[in-house]
Structures are given as structure tokens and as C-alpha cells.
Amino acid sequence: MTDDPRKPKAFRLEPDTPARQPETGATGKADPQKARASKPRASKTKPKGRQPRALAAPEIRFEEPSDDTLLPAVARDHTIAKRFRWGAVLLSGALGLAGLWAGLAATQLIEDLFARSPTLGWVGSGLLALMLVAAFAIIVRELFGLWRLKRLGTTQADATRAISADDAKAAQATLTDLHAIYDARPDMRWGLAQLKEHSQAIMDPADRVKLAERDLMKPLDEEANRIIARAARRVSVVTAFAPAALDIALVGAQNLRMMRELATLYGGRPGTLGTMRLAKMVAGHLAVTGGLALSDGVISAVIGKGLLGRLSARFGEGAVNGILTARIGLAAMELCRPLPFLTQPRPGLSDFMREVVRFGGDAEQGNQDKSDKPN
């Protein structure tokens, strides 16, 4: 062994690319100089670290939800099925038979009149034609009344959508309907002119609807409040003085009259069928909102107000019926009004309680004033 340390040897690393073939000359032999020059030099490379092992991607499966999970529980319940309406069939058959009977009776009457005298026959035929024309006009009027009442609800729905969703098309439809409803009324011309002048400078849909309420609904609301107050006072007086057997019919007639006046004021002009439909809508509205429920405090306050309420329980009952009539009028006002309450104050039941019991309060106040005067 020698004391000289061993020198490290240099190792040549071959590249990953395939080795180049040695170039050959014209004689077909490899040129040693070019081959020597083409050999890569020894380079010091750092050993690469261990590459992470690739893991297989997990398989994801999507389960398709069944149609039953998307349906509500009520839809899957088949225990309650719609029954066949025998009442509707009975009513339809009765109306059909009544129509056939009326037609045969009219035909037989005309034949008998012609058999007696041609003059009587022609007079009877003219009266029958006049009756048919009148019946057709009444049917058309009732249908138009129902359509106008429905148009008020459609206009109110468009206005609500324009306010809540800021919908420009709904706002424009609302203004178009308002012009169609009130163009023929002389008392609304000034409001329509103001609305047309101001709406051109306003682009926001909600502001346009609010402007329409300010220019058009304010005078109508004031008149509607007077109609409700007048009907409430009338019902109070009718209940107080009418016999007990007739007060229900009279109060019902006054309520129907009030609802018809309110619908006509706002542009509905319903007929008999339209008024009945409005009464049904008001009853449903009050059933949902619970507007007919009066607390004991309100009843005692009404009965205790005024000298007449203290002297007779009949007058107290009349005051309560008047307040109920006012509540029905407020519900009809909300349904017939083509625009919701946005900028105008919503009338409350307390505003009409003073009107109902005012006659008793005024009498009592007058008696107090007389007693306070010195002799």
C-alpha cells in the first residue's frame, strides 16, 4: 500500500436522447475526429429527487334523484280525490228544463195569439223580441261588469309587480290600464293630465306608479272614505230603529250597495253578478285577514260611547254593526282600488268608529255643556 490518496475517477453520463450515429466520410468509414468532437463532455448533474407517485383519481358517481323526492307530500297523497259534483249537474239540468219550458210556453202563447187575431200575434211577437233584446243586453252588461272588476285586480297586480320587482313593463301596463279606465271620466281629466306631464320626466318604474297613485288615487280615496262612513252611519240607524226580523236583510242590502258604490268609484261598475262576486271576494279577504274579529275592549268602548248607547242596548248593537260595515268597506276598498297603498295613508277602522258613535257623543257633549252653564 502507498501513502498517496486515491484520486476520484470521473464518470461519463449518457444523455437520455438516443446517441447520434458517427458521421461517415466519402469512404463510408467513421471520422474519428468528428466522432470525438460529437461526444458530450462530462458534466456534473445533481441527482434528481424522488418524484411523487401519481394516485388514481377517485371515481365520483352522481345519483339521479327520483321524481318522488321532488314532489311535495300532498301530491303523493291519493287518499283525497275530487268528487263528482252532482249539485252542478242538478242545477244545469234544472236551468236547461226551465229554458225549454219558457221557450215552449212563449211559442205556444204566440201561436194562440195568432189564432185569435193576427194583430195580437204581431204584438206578442214584438214584445217577445223586445224581451229577448233586453235579456241579451243584461247578459252583456253583466259580463262587462265582471270584466271591469277583473281588470281592476289585474292592474293592482301589475302595480305590485312593478314596485316589488322594479319591472318597467309592468309599470307601463299599469299606466296604460289607468288611462283606459279613467279617460272617459271628466273628474279624472286633471289628474290624468298631471300624470302624463310628470311621468315623461320619470324613468324609474316604482316612482312612476307612486306618481300615479298621488295624482289619481287621492281624490278617489277621500270619496271612498265618505261612502264608507255614510254607509256605516246608515247601518247603525237601521239596526237601531228597524224591527229585529228585518235588520239582517236591511244591513245586507246596505253593505251590497256600499260595495257597488266603491267599485263604481274606482272604475269597476259591476252589475248584479259583479256585486255578488265582489261580496264573495270581500268575504274571502276578511276570512284570511281576520278583519271581522272585534275584541271585547272595542265592543265595550263602542257600547259605552254616547248617551244613546247607554240608554238602549239596541243602539249599541247598531254601533257594532256600523263598525263591521266600515270594516267590510275597507276590505272592498282594498280590492277595488287599482293601485296598492304606497304614498297615501291607509285608512283604519278607528277613523270610522268616531263617525259611527258621533251622534251619541255629540248628544252627551251637548248635555254636559248645558249642565256646565250657570243658571
Side-chain angles (χ1 to χ4, degrees):
M1 294 181 63
T2 58
D3 297 335
D4 296 335
R6 182 179 179 182
K7 296 180 179 181
K9 294 183 179 181
F11 296 93
R12 187 181 303 276
L13 299 177
E14 297 295 336
D16 296 336
T17 57
R20 299 173 59 184
Q21 297 293 334
E23 298 181 3
T24 57
T27 58
K29 296 182 179 181
D31 192 353
Q33 296 181 356
K34 293 183 178 181
R36 192 178 303 112
S38 63
K39 292 181 180 181
R41 298 180 181 180
S43 60
K44 297 180 180 180
T45 58
K46 297 181 180 180
K48 296 181 179 181
R50 180 182 177 183
Q51 298 293 333
R53 185 175 58 180
L55 300 177
E59 184 179 0
I60 301 176
R61 297 180 181 180
F62 297 94
E63 297 182 358
E64 294 292 337
S66 61
D67 296 337
D68 295 338
T69 58
L70 299 178
L71 297 177
V74 179
R76 295 195 300 267
D77 189 7
H78 300 285
T79 57
I80 301 176
K82 292 184 177 180
R83 295 180 299 176
F84 190 76
R85 297 184 177 180
W86 289 104
V89 175
L90 177 61
L91 182 61
S92 301
L95 291 177
L97 288 176
L100 291 176
W101 172 79
L104 290 176
T107 304
Q108 185 65 33
L109 177 61
I110 296 300
E111 291 178 355
D112 293 342
L113 290 176
F114 271 106
R116 288 178 177 272
S117 172
T119 304
L120 292 177
W122 287 112
V123 171
S125 299
L127 294 177
L128 178 61
L130 184 63
M131 185 180 66
L132 293 178
V133 170
F136 179 76
I138 290 174
I139 292 174
V140 172
R141 185 187 65 182
E142 293 294 334
L143 293 178
F144 270 99
L146 292 173
W147 175 75
R148 285 189 293 263
L149 190 63
K150 184 179 179 180
R151 183 174 59 176
L152 292 179
T154 304
T155 306
Q156 187 179 115
D158 291 338
T160 304
R161 185 167 62 253
I163 293 295
S164 59
D166 204 15
D167 192 351
K169 293 183 179 180
Q172 183 61 36
T174 302
L175 297 180
T176 303
D177 292 340
L178 290 175
H179 280 279
I181 293 172
Y182 299 121
D183 269 339
R185 294 178 53 170
D187 58 334
M188 301 298 293
R189 291 177 182 175
W190 184 84
L192 290 174
Q194 293 294 322
L195 176 62
K196 185 177 180 181
E197 180 181 356
H198 296 157
S199 61
Q200 297 177 356
I202 298 177
M203 301 301 295
D204 186 70
D207 292 340
R208 298 181 70 184
V209 175
K210 293 179 181 179
L211 179 64
E213 184 193 15
R214 189 195 67 180
D215 292 339
L216 298 179
M217 295 295 106
K218 185 177 180 180
L220 297 181
D221 291 341
E222 294 176 354
E223 182 63 25
N225 291 334
R226 286 191 289 269
I227 291 175
I228 296 173
R230 185 167 59 248
R233 289 195 298 268
R234 191 183 298 119
V235 166
S236 301
V237 174
V238 166
T239 306
F241 292 99
L246 298 177
D247 58 352
I248 298 178
L250 294 176
V251 169
Q254 292 296 329
N255 284 311
L256 290 177
R257 178 183 176 183
M258 176 189 62
M259 288 186 286
R260 187 170 183 174
E261 289 180 357
L262 289 174
T264 304
L265 174 66
Y266 286 109
R269 289 182 296 167
T272 304
L273 295 180
T275 305
M276 295 299 176
R277 181 176 178 81
L278 179 59
K280 183 179 179 181
M281 294 168 58
V282 170
H285 180 76
L286 292 175
V288 172
T289 58
L292 286 179
L294 293 179
S295 62
D296 296 337
V298 175
I299 295 177
S300 62
V302 171
I303 296 177
K305 287 284 187 180
L307 181 61
L308 297 178
R310 295 177 182 177
L311 293 178
S312 175
R314 191 67 176 170
F315 287 97
E317 183 181 354
V320 173
N321 288 339
I323 291 179
L324 293 178
T325 300
R327 184 63 188 91
I328 293 174
L330 290 176
M333 180 180 178
E334 293 180 4
L335 292 174
C336 297
R337 198 173 190 263
L339 296 177
F341 287 96
L342 301 172
T343 60
Q344 302 299 319
R346 184 189 300 270
L349 192 59
S350 59
D351 300 334
F352 301 97
M353 288 178 60
R354 294 189 296 268
E355 296 291 335
V356 172
V357 300
R358 186 175 58 182
F359 57 91
D362 292 345
E364 183 180 4
Q365 184 66 30
N367 293 332
Q368 291 180 358
D369 293 339
K370 291 180 181 179
S371 63
D372 292 340
K373 288 182 179 181
N375 295 327

